[in-house]
Amino acid sequence: MTPEGLRTARFDIAGDLSEPDIARGGYDMMVSRMVFEHVHDVERAWSNIHALLAPGGIGLAFVPTLWAPVFALNHILPEKASRAIVHALFPARREGGGDPKFPAFYDWCRGSNATLGPMLRRAGFSDIHIQPFWGHGYFDRMPGLRGLDAAFNRLAARTDWRFVTTYAYVVVRKER
């Protein structure tokens, strides 16, 4: 879905990098949005990203983080129940829609540098930034729950409680 003229590749980010269209060290930037929660082996995915980035290249991932109450619930519910709730609340996310629901694992989906930093350093990165966010729109149509969750998220943001972030940008740069 990228514009014409941009070089892209299609492969399993946590898999084997021996496919012919994969250029190790050939990418200046790798970006993902709401992908890593669906990846079984996130540590391997970050190691692969390190291998694929050119020196000085940047990896940017926007991830929902596990211990936000809404995502913790998604994580502990059976997939069938989670899917039914999402389809009931968000009809556009039903099968055949433009924003389908996929199983989520939340492997290494956290909003804390203290938690993610060691894993990202093992993957080869030394320049690491985690930007946390609190709050979401999942409860917009549920006034009572929306207010309670908003108050919880304001408190968590005010106290910088990284354990319960809702989202995070993970930004890494491969050394030159």
Side-chain angles (χ1 to χ4, degrees):
M1 298 186 69
T2 59
E4 290 290 324
L6 289 178
R7 192 173 119 201
T8 63
R10 190 174 168 171
F11 54 89
D12 177 0
I13 193 61
D16 179 15
L17 294 183
S18 63
E19 296 177 33
D21 66 336
I22 296 175
R24 287 177 177 271
Y27 299 92
D28 294 321
M29 179 176 264
M30 297 184 76
V31 178
S32 71
R33 180 181 167 272
M34 306 293 278
V35 172
F36 275 88
E37 71 273 23
H38 306 292
V39 175
H40 272 290
D41 188 351
V42 168
E43 188 162 357
R44 182 167 182 195
W46 280 111
S47 293
N48 284 348
I49 288 169
H50 186 271
L52 294 167
L53 284 172
I58 295 172
L60 172 64
F62 181 73
V63 299
T65 56
L66 175 58
W67 298 118
V70 69
F71 299 130
L73 180 63
N74 185 41
H75 184 61
I76 63 171
L77 284 174
E79 179 59 26
K80 187 174 181 177
S82 174
R83 185 177 301 277
I85 291 168
V86 168
H87 288 175
L89 295 174
F90 305 99
R93 301 219 39 208
R94 292 183 183 146
E95 306 309 322
D99 188 16
K101 161 97 172 65
F102 297 102
F105 311 109
Y106 300 100
D107 181 31
W108 288 105
C109 290
R110 307 295 189 276
S112 164
N113 194 13
T115 302
L116 290 179
M119 179 271 294
L120 292 167
R121 281 189 283 284
R122 283 193 305 274
F125 297 103
S126 57
D127 190 356
I128 299 165
H129 177 74
I130 312 298
Q131 180 63 52
F133 298 91
W134 292 266
H136 57 83
Y138 284 97
F139 299 144
D140 282 354
R141 298 187 319 201
M142 297 173 244
L145 196 50
R146 178 184 63 223
L148 183 63
D149 187 67
F152 174 81
N153 282 301
R154 280 192 304 275
L155 176 63
R158 196 168 40 251
T159 60
D160 197 34
W161 191 15
R162 301 286 178 110
F163 185 73
V164 294
T165 57
T166 309
Y167 299 101
Y169 274 116
V170 179
V171 185
V172 294
R173 181 188 305 265
K174 185 174 180 175
E175 288 188 26
R176 293 188 183 274

